[in-house]
Amino acid sequence: MFYENKPEFFIFSHQKTPLEYPPHIHSYLELVHVIEGELEMQIGQEKFLFSKNDIGIIFPNTIHNYHTLSESQNTYFAILNCAVDMIPFFKKQLLHSKPENPVLHSDQIHPDIYFAEKSLAALECREENIPLISAYFSLIFARIFPYFRLTSGESASTPPMDFSGKVLSYVAEHFTEDLTLSRVASHFGIGKSALSRIFSNTLGIHYTQYLNSLRVNYSQHLLAVTDLNILEIALESGYHNQQTYNRIFKEICGCTPKEFRRKNLKKTVFPFC
């Protein structure tokens, strides 16, 4: 899962394993193409069911989560993320509006979208590829936007977020720090019990579960693409010691960080959504 405090401007990932991501929010746009399988996604306050060849579009600063319905052998998703600045022609719409229905079905997908997606899959997130990445994403949205009925937001630089969104955004920016429930509650001037209810009642997850999901997902990225040792990754991800990190990592991922690294080192992974 990428968050708004990460420097990457583009990432493309193929996922062939079930996705179970908690509610989260980020400042870039996201496209999810279901190639095989079924996926339930909550985008904003609504839930959507995605089947084969459907594409979901998540605008910036929109709370969303994933829940895979298909078995692992029948699951295959393409996930694309891009900074809004990479698509200057559509930047205003992306930042100041939301689609009423952020889903494209197979009969609405122009061949240009498949062409651009395939071309983006072959590109790395490097400065020399910025013109091509920008062009392909612009082509995708030129074909997507005619199918959208957009609702306008306020005239701020980003769409308005409800209080839950502001809390998620704050945690997304600071999850590697010593981010206790008390600290977050104090930041927003509310009690700890009220903050807990936002996660348990509104988002359906406990605060500590959500925080650990962010940290473990981020650590997956570090395990796969860096040479940092396990202790360094634990500390970088917000844990005070390796023992706690190993225990929580195994609870969430079903394997140890060392085992995960052995399978994924130097591979492109999509740790943040």
Side-chain angles (χ1 to χ4, degrees):
M1 207 182 309
F2 277 89
Y3 296 99
E4 54 194 2
N5 59 332
K6 298 301 173 185
E8 288 83 354
F9 55 82
F10 161 71
I11 190 166
F12 187 108
S13 172
H14 280 120
Q15 287 284 349
K16 296 185 178 181
T17 56
L19 298 171
E20 298 291 341
Y21 290 134
H24 57 281
I25 194 169
H26 44 62
S27 63
Y28 44 85
L29 63 91
E30 179 175 328
L31 277 74
V32 180
H33 178 197
V34 179
I35 301 171
E36 293 286 348
E38 285 190 327
L39 178 71
E40 182 182 73
M41 185 187 302
Q42 181 167 335
I43 304 176
Q45 300 299 317
E46 296 188 57
K47 289 186 177 181
F48 301 90
L49 179 64
F50 294 82
S51 301
K52 183 176 180 178
N53 291 328
D54 289 347
I55 293 179
I57 300 91
I58 298 95
F59 276 36
N61 299 321
T62 302
I63 298 176
H64 58 290
N65 62 46
Y66 296 87
H67 173 61
T68 302
L69 301 177
S70 49
E71 299 294 331
S72 57
Q73 64 269 23
N74 298 318
T75 297
Y76 189 18
F77 308 133
I79 302 176
L80 298 80
N81 290 103
C82 183
V84 180
D85 288 338
M86 298 290 291
I87 317 174
F89 187 79
F90 298 101
K91 181 177 179 179
K92 182 177 180 179
Q93 294 99 312
L94 290 167
L95 290 179
H96 292 275
S97 60
K98 300 288 184 186
E100 289 186 357
N101 188 345
V103 183
L104 284 184
H105 299 294
S106 56
D107 59 344
Q108 299 172 309
I109 300 175
H110 193 280
D112 284 350
I113 296 177
Y114 293 125
F115 166 75
E117 181 182 312
K118 182 178 179 180
S119 300
L120 286 166
L123 295 176
E124 296 181 6
C125 182
R126 299 194 307 214
E127 187 174 352
E128 59 266 33
N129 290 331
I130 287 179
L132 282 173
I133 294 170
S134 177
Y136 288 133
F137 268 102
S138 296
L139 175 59
I140 288 174
F141 276 88
R143 293 301 187 185
I144 284 177
F145 265 83
Y147 291 99
F148 279 168
R149 177 181 294 179
L150 300 176
T151 58
S152 297
E154 298 174 357
S155 58
S157 59
T158 58
M161 290 187 287
D162 62 17
F163 188 72
S164 297
K166 292 177 181 178
V167 171
L168 282 175
S169 181
Y170 179 79
V171 176
E173 291 178 348
H174 300 279
F175 69 92
T176 61
E177 303 170 15
D178 188 16
L179 200 63
T180 63
L181 186 70
S182 297
R183 174 181 165 183
V184 179
S186 176
H187 176 81
F188 287 99
I190 61 175
K192 291 192 295 182
S193 59
L195 180 62
S196 293
R197 285 195 295 273
I198 290 176
F199 286 89
S200 60
N201 297 341
T202 305
L203 304 177
I205 190 171
H206 294 298
Y207 172 76
T208 53
Q209 292 175 307
Y210 182 68
L211 183 63
N212 282 327
S213 293
L214 305 189
R215 289 174 170 176
V216 168
N217 286 334
Y218 177 52
S219 76
Q220 287 179 334
H221 172 67
L222 298 179
L223 288 165
V225 302
T226 75
D227 295 321
L228 296 173
N229 63 46
I230 303 297
L231 175 59
E232 290 172 327
I233 289 174
L235 298 175
E236 179 70 17
S237 301
Y239 293 101
H240 295 297
N241 59 73
Q242 186 175 335
Q243 183 179 8
T244 300
Y245 167 63
N246 286 345
R247 175 178 57 79
I248 294 174
F249 189 99
K250 189 169 184 179
E251 288 175 358
I252 293 176
C253 302
C255 64
T256 66
K258 186 176 181 180
E259 291 168 340
F260 180 91
R261 165 167 273 177
R262 187 166 58 244
K263 296 177 183 177
N264 295 279
L265 186 61
K266 300 305 181 185
K267 293 181 181 179
T268 300
V269 297
F270 191 80
F272 303 121
C273 176

